[in-house]
Amino acid sequence: MAIKFQYNKTSLQQLEKQLKVRVRTLPIIKNKESALRMEVKRCKSEAAMLDEKLEREIQAYEAMFALWNEFDPSLIKVSDVHLGVKKIAGVRVPLLESVDFEIRPYSLFNAPKWYADGVHLLKTLAHTAIEREFIVAKLGLLEHARKKTTQKVNLFEKVQIPGYQDALRKIKRFMEDEENLSKSSQKIMKSHQESRKEAEA
């Protein structure tokens, strides 16, 4: 990205202002990037833990597989999922607050004894699966934000700040050269005038 500029004081001041903004903003963006990186790492380990938990719960479900033929799956259903929003390093991410289940009444006398355990197991399984979905969504948002922030850090650090510094150097050199030329020409004119005066005298 080439920085457009002109060889004058106005352009010099504008570039200095732009450079100052970027130099001041860079540490803030770097902090955001490291916060997002840590959060992504934490989120990945949380997702892995939930995967393991889900796997264990599915195994517990499969251990009772023979009994599930007697179970009425319409007894329990998810009625509502309560969401929240949390800001992590300026990124809004979904937050699972709670899951509401609707459990249809059933006869404790006519139903097998393990029905209560079955309902509890299904509630746990559904809650873990929903929680995992939220973590995966959160991870996706954080990863995207981290990539964008890393790109911005690289843009500022490797492209824009050096580009502005180089442009400022060029303008300053040009203006110095111009000033030196102006002084030299003034000296030459002065010496010409003096020699003309001496010739006239």
Side-chain angles (χ1 to χ4, degrees), residues 64 67-76 103-123:
M64 297 169 68
L67 301 172
W68 287 111
N69 292 334
E70 301 171 33
F71 190 78
D72 179 5
S74 69
L75 279 181
I76 180 171
I103 298 162
R104 233 185 46 213
Y106 60 93
S107 167
L108 292 170
F109 299 108
N110 297 338
K113 282 182 189 173
W114 63 273
Y115 255 44
D117 289 339
V119 166
H120 177 72
L121 182 64
L122 283 178
K123 270 174 79 172

Side-chain angles (χ1 to χ4, degrees), residues 86-120:
K86 185 181 177 187
K87 260 192 173 186
I88 298 172
V91 181
R92 290 164 62 89
V93 291
L95 198 65
L96 177 65
E97 287 179 348
S98 64
V99 179
D100 293 343
F101 292 95
E102 196 178 294
I103 298 162
R104 233 185 46 213
Y106 60 93
S107 167
L108 292 170
F109 299 108
N110 297 338
K113 282 182 189 173
W114 63 273
Y115 255 44
D117 289 339
V119 166
H120 177 72

Side-chain angles (χ1 to χ4, degrees), residues 7-66:
Y7 292 99
N8 57 38
K9 269 189 180 172
T10 311
S11 186
L12 181 75
Q13 287 167 346
Q14 284 172 348
L15 290 179
E16 281 173 343
K17 200 184 286 178
Q18 292 289 336
L19 178 64
K20 213 177 274 180
V21 166
R22 278 156 181 77
V23 168
R24 223 183 5 240
T25 310
L26 186 61
I28 298 164
I29 300 172
K30 278 185 168 178
N31 285 343
K32 181 179 177 176
E33 185 203 20
S34 65
L36 284 169
R37 186 169 277 133
M38 278 171 44
E39 200 58 45
V40 163
K41 199 175 177 184
R42 190 180 302 133
C43 215
K44 278 181 179 172
S45 67
E46 211 175 317
M49 277 168 40
L50 282 169
D51 280 341
E52 286 171 27
K53 188 179 174 189
L54 198 59
E55 195 57 46
R56 282 196 306 272
E57 287 168 6
I58 289 169
Q59 282 169 0
Y61 170 85
E62 285 172 350
M64 297 169 68
F65 191 70

Side-chain angles (χ1 to χ4, degrees), residues 3 5 160-171 173:
I3 290 159
F5 62 90
Q160 289 188 345
I161 291 175
Y164 279 112
Q165 287 169 337
D166 187 47
L168 285 168
R169 231 186 341 267
K170 285 177 182 172
I171 295 171
R173 267 197 209 125

